[in-house]
Amino acid sequence: MSWAGKILRVNLSAGTVKSEPLNMQWARDYVGSRGLGSKYLVEEIDAKVDPLSPENKIIWATGPLTGTMASTGGRYTVITKGPLTGAIACSNSGGYWGAELKMAGWDMIIFEGKAPKPVYLYINDDVAELRDAAHLWGKSVWQTEEIIKKGLQDPLTRVSSIGKAGENGVLYAAVVNDLHRAAGRSGVGTVMGSKNLKAIAVRGTLGVGNLKDPKGFMKAVAATKKILAENGVTGQGLPTYGTQVLMNVINEMGGLPTRNHRDVQFEGAKDIGAEAMATPRKTDGKKHLVTNQACFGCTIACGRVSKMDENHFTIVNKPQYRGASGGLEYEAAWALGAASGVNDLEALQYANLLCNEEGIDPISFGATVGAVMELYDMGVLTKEQIGIDARFGSAETLAFLAEETVNGRGFGVEIGQGSKRLTAKYGHPELSMSSKGQEFPAYDGRAIQGIGLAYATSNRGGCHLRGYTIASEVFGIPVKTDPTEHEGKPELVKAFQDATAAFDSSGLCIFTTFAWGLPDLAAQLAPACGDEYTTDELAKIGERIWNMEREFNNRAGFTAKDDSLPPRLLNEPCKTGGSKGKVSMLAEMMPKYYSARGWDSEGRPTADTKARLGL
């Protein structure tokens, strides 16, 4: 089996670190990572717990394929009850940290309690201990990683940490590893900060050598890597342009949320997309994009490395940002750009670097700035309150508010609470483009009906990666469906959600699903784990995970009323593009979705559904 078979349990209040065996029955029923970590969480905490109290727990979990030769086998997840939403939070990250934990011989780390002073966890194979982090508190994630590596005199150590945002209580603070990879959404970094936990440093030298059938596994890996290489998205589009390849595609179809979802097409999209990143600048003749970059074991390499214009106003007096660094991904470019009407690529990159450096989710940050700009445009907020003229389209405002938010200064403190709380405070809760308190990403739920339903029903709040129906509705993968049509979307969304839960739990990247289906995942899990995971069984496991998460949220106080979208998406038709005149047909889709799920009219899994899934 490819599970390590061990978990670390860290009691921060008592300062203890203990090893315990992995519950192998749970591992078989929930696979790993998202599913298994969530199983431990829901069994061990009260769903009504205050997310920022010592009674909440936070878990770092790998999957059985994490650290193996499987393509993209570097993923891990951070699971907790999220402070942004009050719902279950499970945030996925790539890079190298997850593989390092697995190669140190651990499947999972569970943190409970709260340390009396800042600490970090150091792991070197089977040795694990809490260490003082007073010298790290107040440092950025970039500084934290550098200091830890120098102190340990081991540049191969991998670090997962928080920046000032997690310490200061920004409700969408991220956990960042390898400088530019993040478990970015739902405020997992905020929970980490609330426990005085600054970082986890890992060095693993044991490898992952306990595969059940190594030869069969390598044969399956070779076959599935070939599928990725020959696919137009995973073999060409993502390696060449990264996720930013979507910017102009989504804009042209009329599905790009613009100026806080007032519009669905952005006239400046061409200035901030993949093509602009790869085109020499007029100012200095250099390209913004330097090269692409891959996470551990990845054959897709969708990551970007970029270098900003050294004469741009954002960094002219900040030499630390003049070197090549992590580049813009599509969701961040949209949130920092179209959501606020800003088409200055360098300003977007600067704001993105701040988000990476201090550990905040650029999607929630950018979407909240879009709401602030609309409140300013309406006259509800003033220059005196915000500290700057917050017009839509102002690159200077974007840069200023990014600085204020990551440092916990001025109006940035309010932005750090997210758009739901901010808009409610100023009397216009309808202007928060979110579901369950988490801001939407870069697809309009009116123009693309399935993704709107996915936002409303996502267990962690507004999210595209819990059921990426864009694959079907835009790219025709695995079948083409009309994005403006709502019929058939409840069943499509359920299928995507269940399959995604299975992939997330394996330790592989969701981007592989542009080319792979559940049979390809089953082909790799069976020889690795020793259990014959069939396609049907994996679909059932994904469904089990989804329903488990749903039941936790129900116990936390969520009801069918929370499966909602903002009034703007339900009542204000799209103004342009192929979706002109469309609103979300959520009311028509929701009963069919509940029926497909085997839930009652209140969105609760029925006794028959729970019995069928073994819940």
Side-chain angles (χ1 to χ4, degrees), residues 75-76 92-97 141-142 145 159-161 174-184 243 293-296 302-304 326-327 329 356 509 511:
R75 310 299 295 192
Y76 75 96
N92 192 297
S93 184
Y96 291 78
W97 190 93
V141 296
W142 296 353
E145 183 163 329
V159 180
S160 177
S161 67
V175 173
V176 180
N177 59 279
D178 303 298
L179 300 180
H180 298 288
R181 309 312 304 172
T243 58
Q293 189 176 49
C295 297
F296 175 89
C302 72
R304 306 291 97 178
E329 312 256 0
N356 286 350
C509 179
F511 283 179

Side-chain angles (χ1 to χ4, degrees), residues 48-61:
K48 295 186 181 296
V49 72
D50 179 346
L52 300 181
S53 71
E55 289 71 35
N56 193 14
K57 297 187 182 185
I58 184 168
I59 300 171
W60 275 249

